[in-house]
Amino acid sequence: MRRLFNKIRKNSRSQEDGIFFEKITKILGFQPNELKYYKKAFTHRSANKLDEKGNPFNYERLEFLGDAMLGSVIAAHLYNEVPSGDEGYLTKMRSKIVSREHLNELGRDFNLVSFVESKVNSSQFGENIHGNLFEAFIGAIYLDKGFTYCEKFIQNKIIKQYVDIAKLEGKVISYKSLIIEWCQKEKAPFAFDFIEDNGQEGQKYFSVKLSINNKIIAKARATSKKKAEEKAAQRAYFVFQEKISNK
Amino acid sequence: MRRLFNKIRKNSRSQEDGIFFEKITKILGFQPNELKYYKKAFTHRSANKLDEKGNPFNYERLEFLGDAMLGSVIAAHLYNEVPSGDEGYLTKMRSKIVSREHLNELGRDFNLVSFVESKVNSSQFGENIHGNLFEAFIGAIYLDKGFTYCEKFIQNKIIKQYVDIAKLEGKVISYKSLIIEWCQKEKAPFAFDFIEDNGQEGQKYFSVKLSINNKIIAKARATSKKKAEEKAAQRAYFVFQEKISNK
């Protein structure tokens, strides 16, 4: 009877791991090797877990590791992207990119908090848990797959989607206002159309279509209306930039 | 005539590069791919050089990159080596390892200042140039060979030789005094014998042999008598530790 029970428990655990594996793969954009690192990245201190050697098993040490990896990948990106920026500029831009606010936004957008194993209610976590989980997740990627994959994840999922040097430099404050101004100047009608959805991940999302001259120019999806609008406007801006430079 | 002159200049440049290549290979422990990164790492702002795009060509931006790479390699090392250390501990230990003082010591030991191209006299550089050059050198390794080689260099040339967690934690203040105490307790005669040499690198070195019971136990070489003694004592300490644990 106990053996049967163990077997059932083992199978149900595997199934659970299977779902976790799929979800992590979707976020990463590649398959993880070992789930244990990601499990650690989502284990809250309050779960009071210990590893096989009796050391605390939670994500706090992984935050330290992830923060360092993120710092070096962003440093290399800025070094290569902005050859005219001096040391002071590079340092300032990096701190904007890895600001607490920005890390919280990233963690929230990936809805990492939905994976957390904890003994306290999620309402008690506070705002910074999103950024902390995000850092820990980066640490887990490094331990699981090495620096190259860690860099790949940061490049594809963060830098390409979130890091806009012109905006960080304050040259572009808002792509939305840039687009609106341009439409008004060109006397072109424009509209932002929203659809709200709950996604598979249990996090509320807003999808937006930006039409100019009654033609859909860009689509975007984000966790707030404002962010979705800004993303769509940024994409539209890049579309028009190409058109302008091809003239 | 001009073609002959160019040919001679090209050959003499190649020879110069050949010597530089040999010296860099010796420091790295592996062959570099492209010398240009290392040349940049040793170009002082005062040389007023520009790259082909008109951007300043000197080591200052490389310091930013090297600092980030060093930070992440040390973070990963500490994470793995000290599984019981919490986030605060890991942060504190890392700042001890990458302290300005320690970086200056590393730059000085590799005698990086001997490679510097500058228009000001080296006496005007100030103490921190050693650490700055060391950071820039790490940045050059990353650009030339990638993260894995960067990590390899830091592991072999820095962590193995300079990073002693017990000492950083303040558990061992001085291996020399530890050895002397132990010898006095065991009533074993001991001696530190020095040889001063100038090395091929133009930097003064001190070699020391530590004998206990009239038997040479450990040898070491460093840029000061004190450092050489301490290194030899540390090696002797590890010899005895093994003996004790094999009893």
Side-chain angles (χ1 to χ4, degrees):
Chain A
M1 188 60 187
R2 183 179 287 177
R3 277 166 76 187
L4 181 64
F5 181 64
N6 277 343
K7 205 177 162 192
I8 292 167
R9 202 169 57 173
K10 198 182 164 196
N11 281 345
S12 85
R13 203 162 47 215
S14 301
Q15 202 186 352
E16 205 179 281
D17 272 3
I19 296 168
F20 186 60
F21 181 89
E22 292 303 323
K23 287 185 176 175
I24 295 298
T25 302
K26 205 177 156 193
I27 297 179
L28 290 174
F30 46 79
Q31 291 194 344
N33 289 333
E34 289 203 62
L35 289 178
K36 64 175 182 186
Y37 300 114
Y38 305 94
K39 285 186 179 164
K40 193 172 196 171
F42 298 124
T43 304
H44 191 257
R45 157 193 281 270
S46 67
N48 282 320
K49 284 196 168 183
L50 299 175
D51 67 12
E52 62 279 9
K53 283 176 185 158
N55 294 313
F57 183 92
N58 63 53
Y59 62 71
E60 295 181 9
R61 300 172 80 244
L62 279 174
E63 284 178 61
F64 167 76
L65 189 59
D67 168 76
M69 294 302 153
L70 193 60
S72 60
V73 172
I74 301 292
H77 173 76
L78 288 171
Y79 184 92
N80 291 318
E81 282 306 298
V82 198
S84 62
D86 67 12
E87 223 190 326
Y89 171 92
L90 298 172
T91 306
K92 200 176 77 189
M93 291 303 273
R94 183 173 58 176
S95 37
K96 282 193 183 184
I97 297 171
V98 299
S99 69
R100 180 47 49 191
E101 197 189 350
H102 195 198
L103 296 182
N104 283 340
E105 186 190 337
L106 288 163
R108 216 182 299 109
D109 282 3
F110 287 114
N111 198 14
L112 297 181
V113 82
S114 67
F115 296 110
V116 168
E117 190 183 341
S118 152
K119 286 213 171 120
V120 298
N121 194 286
S122 63
S123 61
Q124 289 175 263
F125 284 155
E127 186 56 13
N128 286 345
I129 194 167
H130 302 290
N132 295 343
L133 289 172
F134 181 74
E135 287 180 329
F137 189 65
I138 300 279
I141 301 172
Y142 173 76
L143 291 178
D144 181 38
K145 305 279 288 186
F147 186 80
T148 311
Y149 275 87
C150 196
E151 195 174 24
K152 193 172 155 182
F153 174 78
I154 297 170
Q155 280 283 354
N156 290 338
K157 300 280 177 156
I158 299 149
I159 291 174
K160 276 195 195 157
Q161 318 218 10
Y162 289 85
V163 175
D164 182 337
I165 290 169
K167 198 164 177 182
L168 287 168
E169 278 182 338
K171 287 182 188 159
V172 177
I173 299 299
S174 146
Y175 284 99
K176 190 188 164 192
S177 53
L178 213 77
I179 286 293
I180 293 177
E181 217 172 276
W182 185 79
C183 287
Q184 287 169 341
K185 205 182 109 199
E186 299 282 318
K187 309 213 188 305
F190 67 91
F192 288 95
D193 294 312
F194 286 98
I195 308 157
E196 192 179 316
D197 69 80
N198 289 313
Q200 291 183 311
E201 303 88 349
Q203 160 104 32
K204 197 175 272 184
Y205 281 96
F206 298 87
S207 293
V208 68
K209 287 177 191 172
L210 167 56
S211 312
I212 300 180
N213 281 325
N214 301 314
K215 212 183 117 193
I216 295 168
I217 300 296
K219 294 178 189 176
R221 184 169 179 255
T223 48
S224 80
K225 277 193 175 186
K226 205 180 147 195
K227 268 196 260 173
E229 268 180 344
E230 188 59 20
K231 256 195 203 176
Q234 184 178 358
R235 284 172 188 166
Y237 171 78
F238 289 124
V239 169
F240 289 120
Q241 235 187 358
E242 270 172 41
K243 279 191 184 171
I244 292 162
S245 62
N246 286 336
K247 260 182 190 170
Chain B
M1 189 62 189
R2 184 179 286 175
R3 276 166 77 187
L4 181 65
F5 179 63
N6 275 343
K7 205 178 162 190
I8 292 168
R9 203 170 57 176
K10 198 182 163 196
N11 280 345
S12 87
R13 205 163 47 216
S14 301
Q15 202 186 349
E16 206 180 280
D17 272 5
I19 296 169
F20 186 59
F21 182 89
E22 292 303 324
K23 286 186 176 175
I24 295 298
T25 303
K26 206 178 155 190
I27 296 179
L28 290 173
F30 46 78
Q31 291 193 345
N33 290 332
E34 290 204 62
L35 289 179
K36 64 175 182 186
Y37 301 113
Y38 305 94
K39 283 185 180 166
K40 193 173 198 172
F42 297 126
T43 303
H44 192 258
R45 156 193 281 270
S46 67
N48 281 320
K49 284 196 169 182
L50 300 175
D51 68 11
E52 62 279 8
K53 284 175 184 159
N55 294 313
F57 183 92
N58 63 54
Y59 62 71
E60 295 181 9
R61 300 172 80 245
L62 279 173
E63 284 179 59
F64 167 75
L65 189 59
D67 169 76
M69 293 303 152
L70 193 60
S72 60
V73 172
I74 302 291
H77 173 75
L78 287 171
Y79 184 93
N80 291 319
E81 282 305 299
V82 197
S84 62
D86 67 12
E87 222 190 328
Y89 171 91
L90 298 172
T91 306
K92 200 177 75 189
M93 291 303 271
R94 183 172 58 174
S95 39
K96 282 192 184 186
I97 296 171
V98 299
S99 69
R100 181 46 46 192
E101 196 189 351
H102 195 199
L103 296 182
N104 283 340
E105 185 190 336
L106 288 163
R108 216 181 299 109
D109 281 4
F110 287 116
N111 199 14
L112 298 180
V113 83
S114 67
F115 296 110
V116 169
E117 190 184 340
S118 152
K119 285 211 174 119
V120 298
N121 194 286
S122 63
S123 62
Q124 288 175 262
F125 284 155
E127 186 57 13
N128 286 345
I129 194 167
H130 302 290
N132 295 343
L133 289 172
F134 180 75
E135 287 179 330
F137 189 65
I138 300 279
I141 301 172
Y142 172 77
L143 291 178
D144 181 39
K145 305 279 287 186
F147 187 80
T148 311
Y149 274 87
C150 196
E151 195 174 24
K152 195 173 155 182
F153 174 77
I154 297 170
Q155 280 282 354
N156 291 338
K157 300 281 177 154
I158 299 151
I159 292 173
K160 276 194 194 157
Q161 318 219 9
Y162 289 85
V163 176
D164 182 335
I165 291 169
K167 199 164 175 182
L168 286 167
E169 278 183 338
K171 286 181 188 158
V172 177
I173 299 298
S174 147
Y175 284 99
K176 190 189 164 191
S177 53
L178 214 77
I179 286 293
I180 294 177
E181 217 172 276
W182 184 77
C183 287
Q184 287 169 339
K185 206 182 107 199
E186 299 282 318
K187 307 211 190 307
F190 67 90
F192 288 94
D193 294 312
F194 285 97
I195 309 158
E196 192 178 318
D197 69 80
N198 288 313
Q200 291 183 312
E201 303 88 349
Q203 161 104 34
K204 198 175 270 182
Y205 280 97
F206 298 88
S207 294
V208 68
K209 288 177 189 169
L210 167 57
S211 313
I212 299 179
N213 281 324
N214 301 314
K215 213 183 118 192
I216 294 168
I217 300 297
K219 294 177 190 177
R221 186 169 178 256
T223 48
S224 79
K225 277 195 176 185
K226 205 180 148 194
K227 270 198 259 175
E229 269 181 344
E230 189 58 21
K231 257 195 201 174
Q234 185 179 355
R235 284 172 188 166
Y237 172 78
F238 289 125
V239 169
F240 290 120
Q241 236 186 358
E242 269 174 41
K243 279 191 185 170
I244 292 161
S245 62
N246 286 335
K247 259 181 190 172

